[in-house]
Amino acid sequence: MSLSLCLLFQLGYALNHTNRKLTLEPKITVNAKIVVVGASSVGISFLETLVFCSHLKFSNLTLISTHGLPGKNLGTEKRKFLASDHCFNDKDYALMSLCSWVNVVVGRMTAIDRAAKHVVVSKEEIVLYDHLILCTGQQYQVPCPTGADISQHPTNREIPSSGKQRYTDQVPGNHFILNDEEDCWKALSWIRNNSILTEDGGRASVLF
């Protein structure tokens, strides 16, 4: 096997370098409460920059995310549902180990009180902040029916639309909004449990 192939199949590792100057030079501790909302690529990149700052130590970092830190290694078949920007993969998340430096609050931010400087998570938990960073990323929503009469074959210009419309009725069980890996897992589980029956009575295989 050639040297290039050997390097290709090497196990991943983290290489950390330190020297006398970095060891003896004290870091300035920043105690400000920095709260990041959303585990998007921007939010993770922002936390990575703070955690690995060479001359500053941020001691009060908090991430608010619906499903916590990404990179739980749920499997590649579930990620095929997602439109990824390929900024981070499981290996990148493992090497960063943000769970060692960042307090993670699992939940959805439901309100911001700018006067009191706190956010409300899941309508009950309060998280204080000195600096609030909103990095929720792109989020898909349930489409709102327009109420158009399709028997009249209307065009898009003839259909009234408003960006403020929100669907508030019950979401059908076979409708999925794929914003993260957890949503993909639910969709894949539903497909496997509700796959079309074949003529011999067995379930049709679902290939990904």
Side-chain angles (χ1 to χ4, degrees), residues 110-148:
T110 54
I112 302 176
D113 190 331
R114 290 179 172 82
K117 279 200 167 185
H118 72 246
V119 297
V120 181
V121 179
S122 302
K123 298 183 179 181
E124 55 183 18
E125 185 176 356
I126 291 178
V127 179
L128 301 174
Y129 70 85
D130 293 319
H131 304 281
L132 180 63
I133 314 298
L134 301 179
C135 304
T136 53
Q138 184 180 20
Q139 297 180 357
Y140 297 102
Q141 304 291 334
V142 178
C144 186
T146 61

Side-chain angles (χ1 to χ4, degrees), residues 13-18 22 27-28 30 34 43-59 61 69 88 91-102:
Y13 62 92
L15 178 62
N16 298 289
H17 168 73
T18 187
L22 293 178
K27 286 190 174 184
I28 300 175
V30 180
I34 301 176
I44 297 300
S45 178
F46 176 78
L47 290 172
E48 179 188 21
T49 302
L50 298 186
V51 167
F52 293 100
C53 186
S54 60
H55 59 284
L56 297 176
K57 178 182 178 182
F58 295 87
S59 60
L61 299 176
L69 284 170
F88 299 99
K91 181 179 178 181
D92 297 327
Y93 291 126
L95 294 179
M96 282 190 291
S97 186
L98 289 181
C99 58
S100 303
W101 316 96
V102 179

